[in-house]
Coordinates of all heavy atoms in Angstrom, one line a residue:
M1 N -2.0 3.6 -3.6 CA -2.2 4.9 -3.0 C -3.5 5.5 -3.7 O -3.6 5.4 -5.0 CB -1.0 5.8 -3.3 CG -1.2 7.2 -2.9 SD 0.1 8.4 -3.1 CE 1.5 7.5 -3.6
P2 N -4.4 6.1 -3.0 CA -5.6 6.7 -3.6 C -5.2 7.8 -4.6 O -4.2 8.5 -4.5 CB -6.3 7.3 -2.4 CG -5.8 6.6 -1.2 CD -4.4 6.2 -1.5
R3 N -6.0 7.8 -5.7 CA -5.7 8.8 -6.8 C -5.5 10.2 -6.3 O -4.7 10.9 -6.7 CB -6.8 8.7 -7.8 CG -6.4 9.3 -9.1 CD -7.6 9.2 -10.1 NE -8.3 8.0 -10.0 CZ -8.6 7.2 -11.0 NH1 -8.4 7.6 -12.2 NH2 -9.3 6.1 -10.8
G4 N -6.4 10.6 -5.4 CA -6.3 12.0 -4.8 C -5.0 12.3 -4.1 O -4.5 13.4 -4.2
H5 N -4.6 11.3 -3.4 CA -3.3 11.4 -2.7 C -2.1 11.5 -3.6 O -1.2 12.3 -3.5 CB -3.1 10.3 -1.7 CG -3.9 10.3 -0.5 ND1 -5.3 10.1 -0.5 CD2 -3.6 10.6 0.8 CE1 -5.8 10.2 0.7 NE2 -4.8 10.5 1.5
A6 N -2.2 10.7 -4.7 CA -1.1 10.8 -5.7 C -1.1 12.2 -6.4 O 0.0 12.7 -6.6 CB -1.4 9.7 -6.7
A7 N -2.3 12.7 -6.7 CA -2.3 14.0 -7.3 C -1.8 15.1 -6.4 O -1.1 16.0 -6.8 CB -3.8 14.3 -7.7
L8 N -2.1 15.0 -5.1 CA -1.6 15.9 -4.1 C -0.1 15.8 -4.0 O 0.6 16.9 -4.0 CB -2.2 15.7 -2.7 CG -1.7 16.5 -1.6 CD1 -2.0 18.0 -1.8 CD2 -2.2 16.0 -0.3
G9 N 0.5 14.6 -4.0 CA 1.9 14.4 -3.9 C 2.6 15.0 -5.1 O 3.6 15.7 -5.0
R10 N 2.0 14.9 -6.3 CA 2.5 15.4 -7.5 C 2.5 17.0 -7.4 O 3.5 17.6 -7.8 CB 1.7 15.0 -8.7 CG 2.2 15.3 -10.0 CD 1.6 14.7 -11.2 NE 0.1 14.5 -11.1 CZ -0.5 13.3 -10.8 NH1 0.2 12.2 -10.7 NH2 -1.8 13.2 -10.7
L11 N 1.4 17.6 -7.0 CA 1.4 19.0 -6.8 C 2.5 19.6 -5.9 O 3.2 20.5 -6.3 CB 0.0 19.5 -6.3 CG -1.2 19.4 -7.2 CD1 -2.4 19.8 -6.5 CD2 -1.0 20.4 -8.4
V12 N 2.6 19.0 -4.8 CA 3.5 19.5 -3.8 C 5.0 19.1 -4.0 O 5.9 19.9 -4.0 CB 3.1 19.0 -2.3 CG1 4.1 19.4 -1.3 CG2 1.7 19.6 -2.0
Y13 N 5.2 17.8 -4.3 CA 6.6 17.3 -4.4 C 7.2 17.4 -5.8 O 8.4 17.6 -5.9 CB 6.7 15.9 -3.9 CG 6.3 15.8 -2.4 CD1 5.4 14.9 -2.0 CD2 7.0 16.6 -1.5 CE1 5.1 14.8 -0.6 CE2 6.6 16.5 -0.1 CZ 5.7 15.6 0.3 OH 5.4 15.5 1.6
L14 N 6.4 17.3 -6.8 CA 7.0 17.4 -8.2 C 6.8 18.7 -8.8 O 7.7 19.3 -9.4 CB 6.3 16.3 -9.1 CG 6.6 14.8 -8.7 CD1 5.9 13.9 -9.6 CD2 8.1 14.6 -8.7
D15 N 5.6 19.3 -8.6 CA 5.4 20.6 -9.2 C 5.9 21.8 -8.3 O 5.9 22.9 -8.8 CB 3.9 20.8 -9.5 CG 3.4 19.8 -10.6 OD1 4.2 19.3 -11.3 OD2 2.1 19.6 -10.6
G16 N 6.1 21.5 -7.1 CA 6.7 22.5 -6.1 C 5.7 23.5 -5.7 O 6.1 24.6 -5.3
I17 N 4.4 23.2 -5.7 CA 3.4 24.2 -5.3 C 3.4 24.2 -3.7 O 3.2 23.1 -3.1 CB 2.0 23.8 -5.9 CG1 2.1 23.9 -7.4 CG2 0.9 24.7 -5.3 CD1 0.9 23.5 -8.1
P18 N 3.5 25.3 -3.1 CA 3.5 25.4 -1.6 C 2.2 24.8 -1.0 O 1.1 24.9 -1.6 CB 3.6 26.9 -1.3 CG 4.2 27.5 -2.6 CD 3.7 26.6 -3.7
Q19 N 2.3 24.2 0.1 CA 1.2 23.6 0.8 C 0.1 24.6 1.0 O -1.1 24.3 0.8 CB 1.6 23.0 2.1 CG 2.4 21.7 2.0 CD 2.7 21.1 3.3 OE1 1.9 21.2 4.3 NE2 3.8 20.4 3.4
R20 N 0.4 25.8 1.4 CA -0.6 26.8 1.6 C -1.4 27.1 0.4 O -2.6 27.4 0.4 CB 0.0 28.1 2.2 CG 0.5 27.9 3.6 CD 1.1 29.2 4.2 NE 1.8 28.9 5.4 CZ 1.3 29.1 6.6 NH1 0.1 29.7 6.7 NH2 2.0 28.8 7.7
D21 N -0.8 27.1 -0.8 CA -1.5 27.3 -2.0 C -2.4 26.1 -2.3 O -3.6 26.3 -2.8 CB -0.5 27.5 -3.2 CG 0.2 28.8 -3.1 OD1 -0.2 29.7 -2.3 OD2 1.2 29.0 -3.9
V22 N -2.0 24.9 -2.0 CA -2.8 23.8 -2.2 C -4.0 23.8 -1.3 O -5.1 23.5 -1.7 CB -2.0 22.5 -2.0 CG1 -2.9 21.2 -2.1 CG2 -0.9 22.4 -3.0
V23 N -3.8 24.3 -0.1 CA -4.9 24.4 0.9 C -6.0 25.3 0.3 O -7.2 25.0 0.4 CB -4.4 25.0 2.3 CG1 -5.5 25.5 3.1 CG2 -3.5 23.9 3.0
R24 N -5.5 26.5 -0.2 CA -6.5 27.4 -0.8 C -7.2 26.8 -2.0 O -8.4 27.0 -2.2 CB -5.8 28.7 -1.2 CG -5.6 29.6 0.0 CD -5.0 31.0 -0.5 NE -3.8 31.1 0.4 CZ -2.6 31.3 -0.1 NH1 -2.3 31.4 -1.3 NH2 -1.6 31.4 0.8
R25 N -6.5 26.1 -2.8 CA -7.1 25.5 -4.0 C -8.1 24.5 -3.7 O -9.2 24.4 -4.3 CB -6.0 24.8 -4.9 CG -5.1 25.7 -5.7 CD -4.2 24.9 -6.6 NE -3.3 25.7 -7.2 CZ -2.5 25.3 -8.2 NH1 -2.6 24.0 -8.6 NH2 -1.6 26.1 -8.7
L26 N -7.8 23.6 -2.7 CA -8.7 22.6 -2.4 C -9.8 22.9 -1.3 O -10.8 22.2 -1.2 CB -7.9 21.3 -1.9 CG -6.9 20.7 -2.8 CD1 -6.2 19.6 -2.2 CD2 -7.6 20.3 -4.1
G27 N -9.5 24.0 -0.6 CA -10.5 24.5 0.4 C -10.6 23.6 1.6 O -11.7 23.4 2.1
V28 N -9.5 23.0 2.0 CA -9.4 22.2 3.2 C -8.5 22.8 4.2 O -7.7 23.7 3.9 CB -9.0 20.7 2.8 CG1 -10.0 20.1 1.9 CG2 -7.7 20.7 2.2
F29 N -8.5 22.2 5.4 CA -7.6 22.7 6.4 C -6.1 22.3 6.1 O -5.9 21.2 5.5 CB -8.0 22.2 7.8 CG -9.3 22.8 8.3 CD1 -10.4 21.9 8.4 CD2 -9.4 24.1 8.7 CE1 -11.6 22.5 8.9 CE2 -10.6 24.6 9.1 CZ -11.7 23.8 9.2
E30 N -5.2 23.1 6.6 CA -3.8 22.7 6.4 C -3.5 21.4 7.1 O -2.7 20.6 6.5 CB -2.9 23.8 6.9 CG -1.4 23.7 6.5 CD -0.6 24.9 6.7 OE1 -1.1 25.9 7.2 OE2 0.6 24.8 6.4
S31 N -4.1 21.1 8.2 CA -3.8 19.9 8.9 C -4.2 18.7 8.0 O -3.6 17.6 8.1 CB -4.5 19.9 10.3 OG -5.9 20.0 10.1
T32 N -5.3 18.9 7.2 CA -5.7 17.8 6.4 C -4.7 17.5 5.3 O -4.4 16.4 5.0 CB -7.1 18.2 5.7 OG1 -8.0 18.4 6.7 CG2 -7.6 17.1 4.8
I33 N -4.2 18.6 4.7 CA -3.1 18.4 3.7 C -1.9 17.7 4.3 O -1.3 16.8 3.7 CB -2.7 19.8 3.1 CG1 -3.9 20.4 2.3 CG2 -1.5 19.7 2.2 CD1 -4.3 19.6 1.1
C34 N -1.5 18.1 5.5 CA -0.4 17.5 6.2 C -0.6 16.0 6.4 O 0.3 15.2 6.2 CB -0.1 18.2 7.5 SG 0.6 19.9 7.3
R35 N -1.8 15.7 6.8 CA -2.1 14.3 7.0 C -2.1 13.5 5.7 O -1.6 12.4 5.7 CB -3.5 14.2 7.7 CG -3.8 12.8 8.2 CD -5.2 12.7 8.9 NE -6.3 12.9 8.0 CZ -7.2 13.8 8.0 NH1 -7.2 14.7 9.0 NH2 -8.1 13.9 7.1
W36 N -2.7 14.0 4.7 CA -2.7 13.4 3.4 C -1.2 13.2 2.8 O -0.9 12.2 2.3 CB -3.5 14.1 2.3 CG -5.0 14.1 2.6 CD1 -5.6 13.3 3.5 CD2 -5.9 14.9 2.0 NE1 -7.0 13.6 3.4 CE2 -7.2 14.6 2.5 CE3 -5.9 15.9 1.0 CZ2 -8.4 15.2 2.1 CZ3 -7.1 16.5 0.6 CH2 -8.3 16.2 1.2
L37 N -0.4 14.2 3.0 CA 1.0 14.1 2.6 C 1.8 13.1 3.4 O 2.7 12.4 2.8 CB 1.7 15.5 2.7 CG 1.3 16.5 1.6 CD1 1.9 17.9 1.9 CD2 1.6 16.0 0.2
K38 N 1.4 12.9 4.6 CA 2.0 11.8 5.4 C 1.7 10.5 4.8 O 2.6 9.6 4.7 CB 1.6 11.9 6.9 CG 2.2 10.8 7.7 CD 1.9 11.0 9.1 CE 2.4 9.7 9.8 NZ 3.4 9.8 10.8
V39 N 0.5 10.3 4.3 CA 0.1 9.1 3.6 C 1.0 8.9 2.4 O 1.5 7.8 2.1 CB -1.4 9.1 3.3 CG1 -1.8 7.9 2.4 CG2 -2.3 9.1 4.5
V40 N 1.2 9.9 1.6 CA 2.0 9.9 0.4 C 3.4 9.5 0.8 O 4.0 8.6 0.1 CB 1.9 11.2 -0.3 CG1 2.9 11.3 -1.5 CG2 0.5 11.5 -0.8
R41 N 4.0 10.2 1.8 CA 5.4 9.8 2.1 C 5.5 8.4 2.6 O 6.5 7.7 2.3 CB 5.9 10.8 3.2 CG 6.1 12.2 2.7 CD 6.8 13.1 3.7 NE 6.1 13.1 5.0 CZ 5.2 14.0 5.3 NH1 4.8 14.9 4.4 NH2 4.6 14.0 6.5
T42 N 4.5 7.9 3.4 CA 4.6 6.6 3.9 C 4.5 5.6 2.7 O 5.3 4.6 2.7 CB 3.4 6.3 4.9 OG1 3.5 7.2 6.0 CG2 3.4 4.9 5.4
Y43 N 3.7 5.8 1.8 CA 3.5 5.0 0.6 C 4.9 5.0 -0.2 O 5.4 3.9 -0.6 CB 2.4 5.4 -0.3 CG 2.3 4.6 -1.5 CD1 1.7 3.4 -1.6 CD2 2.9 5.1 -2.7 CE1 1.6 2.7 -2.7 CE2 2.8 4.3 -3.9 CZ 2.2 3.1 -3.9 OH 2.1 2.4 -5.0
L44 N 5.4 6.1 -0.4 CA 6.7 6.2 -1.2 C 7.8 5.6 -0.5 O 8.6 4.9 -1.1 CB 7.0 7.7 -1.5 CG 6.0 8.4 -2.5 CD1 6.4 9.9 -2.5 CD2 6.0 7.7 -3.8
H45 N 7.9 5.7 0.8 CA 8.9 5.1 1.6 C 8.8 3.6 1.5 O 9.8 2.9 1.3 CB 8.8 5.5 3.1 CG 9.9 5.0 3.9 ND1 9.9 3.7 4.5 CD2 11.1 5.6 4.3 CE1 11.0 3.6 5.2 NE2 11.7 4.7 5.1
G46 N 7.6 3.0 1.6 CA 7.4 1.6 1.5 C 7.7 1.1 0.1 O 8.3 0.0 -0.1
A47 N 7.4 1.9 -0.9 CA 7.7 1.5 -2.3 C 9.2 1.5 -2.5 O 9.7 0.6 -3.2 CB 7.0 2.4 -3.3
A48 N 9.9 2.5 -2.0 CA 11.3 2.5 -2.2 C 12.0 1.3 -1.5 O 12.9 0.7 -2.0 CB 11.9 3.8 -1.6
N49 N 11.5 1.0 -0.3 CA 12.1 -0.1 0.5 C 11.8 -1.4 -0.3 O 12.7 -2.3 -0.3 CB 11.5 -0.2 1.9 CG 12.1 0.8 2.8 OD1 13.2 1.4 2.5 ND2 11.5 1.1 3.9
A50 N 10.6 -1.6 -0.9 CA 10.3 -2.8 -1.6 C 11.2 -2.9 -2.8 O 11.7 -4.0 -3.1 CB 8.8 -2.8 -2.0
E51 N 11.4 -1.8 -3.5 CA 12.2 -1.9 -4.7 C 13.7 -2.2 -4.3 O 14.3 -3.0 -5.0 CB 12.2 -0.5 -5.4 CG 13.0 -0.5 -6.7 CD 12.8 0.8 -7.5 OE1 11.7 1.2 -7.8 OE2 13.8 1.5 -7.7
E52 N 14.2 -1.7 -3.2 CA 15.5 -2.0 -2.8 C 15.6 -3.5 -2.5 O 16.6 -4.1 -2.8 CB 15.8 -1.1 -1.6 CG 17.2 -1.4 -1.0 CD 17.5 -0.5 0.2 OE1 17.2 0.7 0.2 OE2 18.0 -1.1 1.2
F53 N 14.6 -4.0 -1.9 CA 14.6 -5.4 -1.5 C 14.6 -6.3 -2.8 O 15.3 -7.3 -2.9 CB 13.4 -5.8 -0.6 CG 13.3 -7.2 -0.3 CD1 14.1 -7.8 0.7 CD2 12.3 -8.0 -0.9 CE1 14.0 -9.1 1.0 CE2 12.2 -9.3 -0.6 CZ 13.0 -9.9 0.3
I54 N 13.8 -5.9 -3.8 CA 13.7 -6.7 -5.0 C 15.0 -6.7 -5.8 O 15.4 -7.7 -6.3 CB 12.5 -6.2 -5.8 CG1 11.2 -6.5 -5.1 CG2 12.5 -6.8 -7.2 CD1 10.0 -5.8 -5.8
F55 N 15.7 -5.6 -5.9 CA 16.8 -5.5 -6.7 C 18.2 -5.8 -6.0 O 19.2 -5.6 -6.6 CB 16.9 -4.1 -7.3 CG 15.8 -3.8 -8.3 CD1 14.7 -3.0 -8.1 CD2 15.8 -4.5 -9.5 CE1 13.7 -2.8 -9.0 CE2 14.8 -4.3 -10.5 CZ 13.7 -3.5 -10.2
R56 N 18.1 -6.4 -4.9 CA 19.4 -6.8 -4.2 C 19.9 -8.1 -4.7 O 19.3 -8.9 -5.1 CB 19.2 -6.9 -2.7 CG 19.3 -5.5 -2.1 CD 19.3 -5.7 -0.6 NE 19.5 -4.4 0.0 CZ 19.8 -4.1 1.2 NH1 19.8 -5.1 2.1 NH2 19.9 -3.0 1.6

């Protein structure tokens, strides 16, 4: 996962910062943040599935 996407995921999902605040901080459109977060979720979903496969 690109470093910027990881940082965004950390801000939103771990630190609990609302997406609208992140939009203001980064100065990008909300649709851009939504698209980037979809990349983060897809990556995490794939990683979780891979881990489940490995530890069975």
Side-chain angles (χ1 to χ4, degrees):
M1 174 178 357
R3 193 180 326 225
H5 286 71
L8 174 65
R10 188 170 35 257
L11 285 174
V12 173
Y13 296 127
L14 296 179
D15 297 340
I17 297 174
Q19 287 184 30
R20 290 182 191 257
D21 291 347
V22 174
V23 166
R24 278 186 234 123
R25 284 185 188 191
L26 299 180
V28 297
F29 292 111
E30 190 167 0
S31 60
T32 302
I33 295 295
C34 290
R35 190 177 70 236
W36 290 348
L37 287 173
K38 182 173 170 117
V39 170
V40 171
R41 287 190 305 272
T42 301
Y43 176 83
L44 292 173
H45 185 279
N49 285 341
E51 185 175 302
E52 181 181 313
F53 177 77
I54 291 170
F55 291 109
R56 278 192 175 185

